[in-house]
Amino acid sequence: AKATIAEARHALVEYMKAVLKDTVVYTEHARRMTVTVPDVLRALRKRGTTLYGYGGDELPTGVKSRHRRAETIRTAPVNVQDVLNAARTGQAHTAAATVPPPAAQSPQSPPIVEAARATSPASAPDSSAAALTTPAPTARVLGATPDTVPNDAVTPEDVTLAQSSFAKHFQEAHVDDCPASHLFARARAENRAVGRTVLSEGTLRGLLAQLQEQNRVMVDTDTDRVFLI
């Protein structure tokens, strides 16, 4: 009996630690110093437990909740210049990562070089000298593709249409989170369908950054997934 009680106590402590950790994550993401009831409800719902009876503080569930939360993406007041600034900042961070240059080849020892010269025809070019005069390949900068460069000519209507496409994707796919690439593909398809500017990935990531600043979504940079909150 004592062993059973000890095991149950250990399981309860581990469960509470996990719930409290998730609760703190929601609180810190909202930039608050105080934990609220919705923070706890979200943490419990993430682990498959839904509590009811909290009135206005109760976290809505189901399809109505998803549609309501997705609508906050559509109605978020986003400034085009802020989107472009966030996009350029993200591009600068991405461009900081470079592919390391190829390792330098170890030079041949003098006896081997001399033997190779002695056996080669007189008209053959000196391969070792050519190697010295050939410039080393430069490191390729990642994130410099045209798709990641922010669009220069972006109108508020382009951004509003992208916001609407984000919201519709969550509502129609019946999901609370999805890869960012799915949102980008939906936004580009809708912009292209109505003849608007097709936003680059850099611009769309800038829009996501602004929506995250307003606590409309949460972006997991490790998995590149976007969560409704």
Side-chain angles (χ1 to χ4, degrees), residues 50-225:
T50 302
L51 299 183
Y52 300 93
Y54 288 89
D57 289 332
E58 180 182 0
L59 184 68
T61 58
V63 176
K64 291 183 178 179
S65 167
R66 185 179 300 115
H67 277 250
R68 187 156 40 245
R69 286 177 288 148
E71 278 300 317
T72 65
I73 298 177
R74 192 195 310 271
T75 59
V78 176
N79 182 275
V80 174
Q81 192 57 49
D82 292 339
V83 170
L84 294 178
N85 291 339
R88 294 188 182 100
T89 301
Q91 182 193 12
H93 288 316
T94 307
T98 58
V99 176
Q105 297 180 352
S106 57
Q108 292 180 325
S109 59
I112 297 178
V113 173
E114 292 300 329
R117 288 176 180 173
T119 57
S120 61
S123 59
D126 189 349
S127 60
S128 61
L132 293 176
T133 58
T134 303
T138 57
R140 179 170 57 89
V141 178
L142 298 178
T145 61
D147 189 47
T148 60
V149 177
N151 301 83
D152 291 328
V154 178
T155 65
E157 290 76 14
D158 297 329
V159 174
T160 301
L161 184 59
Q163 288 178 244
S164 178
S165 67
F166 287 177
K168 285 194 289 187
H169 179 79
F170 283 111
Q171 293 171 343
E172 296 174 5
H174 305 293
V175 294
D176 290 317
D177 65 280
C178 68
S181 59
H182 291 187
L183 296 179
F184 299 161
R186 177 68 180 262
R188 288 168 174 162
E190 294 204 5
N191 280 40
R192 190 180 295 111
V194 297
R196 306 295 310 183
T197 302
V198 179
L199 303 182
S200 69
E201 180 179 328
T203 302
L204 292 171
R205 288 194 181 279
L207 175 57
L208 278 182
Q210 288 302 299
L211 293 173
Q212 182 170 239
E213 283 289 327
Q214 300 182 31
N215 292 322
R216 312 295 174 128
V217 298
M218 181 168 60
V219 182
D220 186 342
T221 56
D222 293 331
T223 61
D224 202 29
R225 296 185 71 85

Side-chain angles (χ1 to χ4, degrees), residues 26 40-50 59-62 65 69 176 228:
Y26 283 114
V40 180
L41 295 177
R42 289 187 176 95
L44 289 172
R45 191 181 67 165
K46 179 183 176 183
R47 311 190 73 79
T49 303
T50 302
L59 184 68
T61 58
S65 167
R69 286 177 288 148
D176 290 317
L228 277 177

Side-chain angles (χ1 to χ4, degrees), residues 22-38:
D22 292 337
T23 301
V24 170
V25 169
Y26 283 114
T27 304
E28 290 180 345
H29 177 74
R31 295 178 176 83
R32 286 186 275 100
M33 299 296 292
T34 305
V35 175
T36 62
V37 172

